[in-house]
Amino acid sequence: MIFPIIILALIAIIGVVAVWFFVDQEREREETQWQLRMGIVADSRFTDVDRWLNRQLDELNGLAKNESLQIYTDQINELSADTTQTDQVEALRDYLRNLLTVTADRTGFSLPSAGDTDVPANVSETGVAGLMIVDSQGNVVAASPGAPPFSGALQTFVSSQTQGQRAISDMTLNGRGNPTMAFVVPILAAQTEGAQATQIGIILGIKEVGSEVFPLLKQPGESSVTAKSVLVRFKDGKITYLSPDENGKPMAIELDADTPDLDTAFAAQKPGAFATDKQNAAGERVLVTGRAFTLVPWALAYSIDYDEALGAAEARFRNLTIYLLLAVALVGVIIVAVWRHGSSRRASQAAHQFQQMATKFESQKNLLQLVTDSQPTQIFILDDKDRYQFANSQASKAAGIPTTEMIGKPIANVLGPQAAKRYITLSHEAMELKHEVSNVARSEEGGKVKVVQSEHIPLRDPSGAPISVLTVERDITDVVTERERRARILNQLVKTLVDVVDKRDPFAAQHSSRVAKVARSVAKEMGLTEVETETADIAGNLLNLGKILIPEDVLSKTGQLTEAERDMIKNSIQTSADLLQGIEFDGPVVLTLRQAQANWDGTGQPPGLAGDAIVVTARVIAVANAFIGMISERAFRSALSIDDAIENLMKGSGKAFDRRVVAALVNYLDNRSGRADLEK
């Protein structure tokens, strides 16, 4: 009975590992989707609150830049010491007081109406909101009606600020029990020619902010029942909830920041991070992310109940795990039953029953093997000792021995050290990195090329340590061969077209191929992608394809060309693009030809196309074409030397050509044996 038990245990392990891996991947996918969704909402609410804070400072800053306010404040500072100017000073104060009153009403820094909150009859209401001007000595120059007294915590806050800087106070509760904040911007003396700006005072704004800030935390169109955004303050090891509690009272909750798994503490201490295992103030598990403000010591925490977000998915994953465990348990019960019958006195009956159970087991094993054998890929598992734990028929076929003989044997003994080396190396890499490793390998068997693609997936134990690696390998020879065949056909077609052009224009023979060679080298020097490099190569080869439509007598003409003939040759590159318009290249070959005559400063063809708006492959072709043209002999002129050609290109840098492309060409010529290549 040992052998069936081992087989059943192996099947159970493979099943548990496979389901665990699937469940883990699905859970990560669900959590990633929620992280993205919650990040968008958190960014939106954070942006609205941050924009509101900046808007308050901007309102006061606009008032501080009022020239009348600057001049009057400066005059009051100068005249206050003169008792004979009392009437003049008071008139200036009246003007500033009226200006502050109007601005306070317009910007929300005015005294809330009596109906906004209930004040006990035996408590006298003091000012809670308003604007005031405070001079550099700490004296109130003017204030709007309803402004609170400039004393106590408010005066301490102002005196602690750095001169010349804007500032925002933290949120506090005023005498009405409402959240209040103060905003400070400096007032600079009115500028005179040649004079340096000096600070003569500040604009101080105080307002009740609850009705403006807290509504910004509500996401428009929010459909989640438990999703919410809260503002918190992290200070002195405490997390203070600035947002209203369930009873509508702001700043009513304060918790220790080291409260285990507190969601708001996580959001405040790790802004931008995302967690699925935190708890809110009520002890409920939530998903949470946070954002930190720079103007105030706040953080925004956005959370949603774990059950609402991932409850259904967790239930699905849990049921799947339970079903598998039940199946494993059922197999265990069957094994125990077989063992008990085998140990009974009725040996013959027990043997018969055991045979029946073995047949059922064999059917189940065959079903599992059939599922994996039906796949066109090799599937096998190697443990940390490089021994086979599982293999399907494709893996058995590749090894040349039955599957049953592979299990438990080192892969090097089955495939040979050389063939097994790649699998062992990639399996060890997957276990060390603790994530999937992909590889494409090319080999030659019997004169035929074979290309395989493999994925090596580490399988972990409950502690998270990799214990084995699942390898899935598929043969992609046909796909790669077909792609390479298409590339060869394309290259042959390009060569044929280039040969046709060269035969019709003997003075420009090999021009396109030389442009393509230089363009490819420059593209590599610039570190362009493989697709961009191939695009530059093909476009260079096909640059003069349009010349097949130009009469041969024009191409070979040694005398002065007519204007029509010059236009015909000048537009041949655009004609090349027209002829190739319907061909599907891997890269933007046609667009490269369209823009090959565009100048960096926008003076080329098409008109107005300039700078980085020109595709990089077109900029490479433009430099390569100009360079090859200059160093090539033509019917109407002699060839330039390479150094003279480079000098001309440098003169055109920033005008006709991209400086970076010219620099790459020079580096290729001087440091990459480019000069020697051109002489071949």
Side-chain angles (χ1 to χ4, degrees):
M1 294 185 59
I2 295 178
F3 180 72
I5 292 176
I6 293 175
I7 297 297
L8 287 175
L10 178 62
I11 294 174
I13 291 172
I14 294 174
V16 170
V17 170
V19 171
W20 177 86
F21 178 76
F22 170 76
V23 170
D24 187 61
Q25 293 294 316
E26 289 296 309
R27 181 181 290 106
E28 289 182 0
R29 187 178 294 109
E30 288 282 345
E31 291 178 356
T32 300
Q33 291 176 355
W34 275 102
Q35 180 178 2
L36 295 174
R37 189 184 310 174
M38 293 179 65
I40 292 173
V41 176
D43 288 338
S44 173
R45 296 307 89 217
F46 168 82
T47 300
D48 281 357
V49 174
D50 193 62
R51 186 182 294 120
W52 179 87
L53 292 169
N54 280 283
R55 189 166 60 247
Q56 310 311 306
L57 293 175
D58 291 341
E59 294 284 0
L60 299 188
N61 195 55
L63 181 61
K65 291 183 178 180
N66 184 296
E67 290 188 5
S68 298
L69 182 144
Q70 295 172 337
I71 294 172
Y72 288 1
T73 301
D74 200 12
Q75 290 180 350
I76 291 175
N77 289 340
E78 294 178 358
L79 299 176
S80 294
D82 189 350
T83 57
T84 63
Q85 299 295 328
T86 302
D87 292 341
Q88 177 67 13
V89 170
E90 190 58 32
L92 295 175
R93 291 182 189 274
D94 286 340
Y95 173 83
L96 294 178
R97 194 176 295 114
N98 291 334
L99 178 60
L100 294 177
T101 300
V102 171
T103 304
D105 291 339
R106 177 176 59 81
T107 59
F109 282 91
S110 57
L111 181 67
S113 63
D116 290 346
T117 185
D118 295 329
V119 180
N122 61 343
V123 177
S124 60
E125 184 176 10
T126 60
V128 295
L131 297 174
M132 66 178 67
I133 300 173
V134 180
D135 63 21
S136 55
Q137 283 73 42
N139 302 315
V140 177
V141 177
S144 63
F150 184 63
S151 59
L154 186 61
Q155 189 175 27
T156 301
F157 163 69
V158 171
S159 62
S160 65
Q161 301 309 312
T162 303
Q163 189 174 20
Q165 299 295 321
R166 307 194 306 180
I168 303 177
S169 75
D170 201 355
M171 185 182 294
T172 59
L173 296 179
N174 61 17
R176 296 155 56 103
N178 295 331
T180 300
M181 296 178 66
F183 303 84
V184 171
V185 298
I187 303 174
L188 303 179
Q191 289 280 22
T192 59
E193 185 175 356
Q196 185 177 2
T198 58
Q199 181 173 336
I200 58 175
I202 62 167
I203 297 290
L204 174 62
I206 308 96
K207 69 186 316 183
E208 293 184 345
V209 299
S211 61
E212 297 183 19
V213 175
F214 297 145
L216 299 177
L217 301 177
K218 180 65 176 177
Q219 175 70 14
E222 178 67 71
S223 59
S224 300
V225 177
T226 60
K228 63 179 180 179
S229 299
V230 298
L231 289 177
V232 297
R233 177 177 59 219
F234 176 43
K235 185 177 181 181
D236 298 332
K238 300 288 185 180
I239 295 292
T240 302
Y241 289 68
L242 306 179
S243 301
D245 62 6
E246 295 181 354
N247 298 319
K249 295 182 178 180
M251 303 178 66
I253 303 176
E254 185 174 84
L255 299 174
D256 289 334
D258 57 0
T259 301
D261 297 328
L262 183 62
D263 60 342
T264 50
F266 172 81
Q269 296 175 17
K270 297 183 178 180
F274 174 77
T276 61
D277 56 350
K278 302 304 177 182
Q279 296 182 355
N280 60 19
E284 300 164 335
R285 185 179 180 182
V286 295
L287 281 65
V288 63
T289 187
R291 302 292 185 269
F293 294 88
T294 57
L295 295 175
V296 288
W298 301 350
L300 182 142
Y302 179 65
S303 63
I304 185 171
D305 187 79
Y306 184 90
D307 290 337
E308 181 182 1
L310 297 175
E314 282 293 338
R316 185 171 70 253
F317 301 152
R318 185 168 53 252
N319 291 338
L320 183 61
T321 304
I322 291 174
Y323 294 152
L324 175 64
L325 293 177
L326 288 176
V328 173
L330 178 61
V331 173
V333 170
I334 294 173
I335 294 175
V336 172
V338 172
W339 178 80
R340 289 179 61 85
H341 281 284
S343 62
S344 67
R345 295 181 179 180
R346 296 173 296 176
S348 59
Q349 182 180 1
H352 177 69
Q353 292 177 345
F354 173 77
Q355 182 63 38
Q356 290 180 329
M357 298 302 297
T359 301
K360 291 183 179 181
F361 164 75
E362 189 67 22
S363 298
Q364 294 175 351
K365 180 177 75 70
N366 292 338
L367 176 61
L368 178 61
Q369 192 71 43
L370 179 63
V371 171
T372 57
D373 289 347
S374 65
Q375 302 300 314
T377 57
Q378 287 194 53
I379 301 175
F380 58 87
I381 297 176
L382 298 179
D383 62 15
D384 57 353
K385 304 296 183 182
D386 305 323
R387 298 173 299 195
Y388 282 103
Q389 288 186 326
F390 174 80
N392 69 346
S393 62
Q394 295 296 330
S396 173
K397 181 179 179 181
I401 62 174
T403 303
T404 54
E405 296 182 16
M406 297 173 64
I407 305 303
K409 291 184 178 180
I411 187 173
N413 294 355
V414 176
L415 302 182
Q418 188 63 31
K421 182 178 180 180
R422 184 173 72 90
Y423 298 109
I424 294 174
T425 300
L426 294 171
S427 294
H428 289 180
E429 182 180 353
M431 294 186 73
E432 291 175 3
L433 298 177
K434 298 182 180 180
H435 63 70
E436 178 180 343
V437 173
S438 297
N439 177 260
V440 175
R442 180 188 292 262
S443 61
E444 189 170 330
E445 298 179 0
K448 294 183 178 180
V449 174
K450 182 179 181 182
V451 184
V452 295
Q453 181 180 31
S454 59
E455 282 78 37
H456 306 264
I457 306 166
L459 307 178
R460 302 177 176 87
D461 61 16
S463 67
I467 57 175
S468 57
V469 176
L470 172 66
T471 297
V472 179
E473 183 176 82
R474 60 182 62 86
D475 191 332
I476 60 172
T477 303
D478 293 341
V479 176
V480 173
T481 302
E482 176 61 22
R483 184 168 59 188
E484 292 177 347
R485 186 184 70 84
R486 288 179 56 197
R488 288 195 303 271
I489 293 174
L490 179 60
N491 289 335
Q492 292 168 0
L493 176 60
V494 170
K495 186 177 183 304
T496 300
L497 294 175
V498 170
D499 289 343
V500 171
V501 174
D502 288 347
K503 289 178 180 179
R504 299 186 76 254
D505 187 4
F507 291 103
Q510 303 302 318
H511 176 85
S512 298
S513 60
R514 297 182 76 194
V515 170
K517 180 179 180 180
V518 171
R520 170 179 282 274
S521 299
V522 171
K524 289 183 177 180
E525 190 68 28
M526 294 179 67
L528 301 187
T529 65
E530 182 178 351
V531 172
E532 290 172 330
T533 301
E534 289 297 326
T535 298
D537 187 300
I538 295 173
N541 275 303
L542 297 176
L543 189 69
N544 292 327
L545 178 61
K547 288 184 178 181
I548 63 175
L549 300 182
I550 300 177
E552 290 187 25
D553 58 340
V554 175
L555 295 175
S556 59
K557 188 175 182 179
T558 58
Q560 186 70 26
L561 296 176
T562 66
E563 183 176 353
E565 291 170 340
R566 284 196 301 271
D567 290 341
M568 210 184 304
I569 294 176
K570 179 181 178 181
N571 295 328
S572 63
I573 296 180
Q574 300 301 320
T575 304
S576 300
D578 294 338
L579 293 174
L580 299 171
Q581 184 64 49
I583 300 178
E584 294 183 5
F585 295 96
D586 290 340
V589 173
V590 176
L591 181 61
T592 298
L593 293 174
R594 293 279 186 211
Q595 299 182 5
Q597 293 173 296
N599 288 339
W600 181 258
D601 59 3
T603 59
Q605 180 70 24
L609 184 64
D612 289 328
I614 307 171
V615 295
V616 66
T617 48
R619 286 178 262 151
V620 171
I621 289 296
V623 172
N625 185 39
F627 174 70
I628 293 299
M630 284 187 280
I631 67 172
S632 301
E633 189 168 337
R634 292 292 181 259
F636 51 87
R637 63 160 174 82
S638 300
L640 297 180
S641 67
I642 291 179
D643 291 332
D644 289 340
I646 291 176
E647 184 177 353
N648 288 340
L649 289 175
M650 296 295 287
K651 290 179 180 178
S653 295
K655 298 178 182 178
F657 309 115
D658 183 353
R659 296 179 185 275
R660 292 166 292 183
V661 179
V662 175
L665 172 61
V666 173
N667 195 56
Y668 158 67
L669 293 173
D670 292 342
N671 302 317
R672 303 278 190 253
S673 70
R675 293 175 182 262
D677 292 343
L678 290 173
E679 294 175 356
K680 294 179 181 179

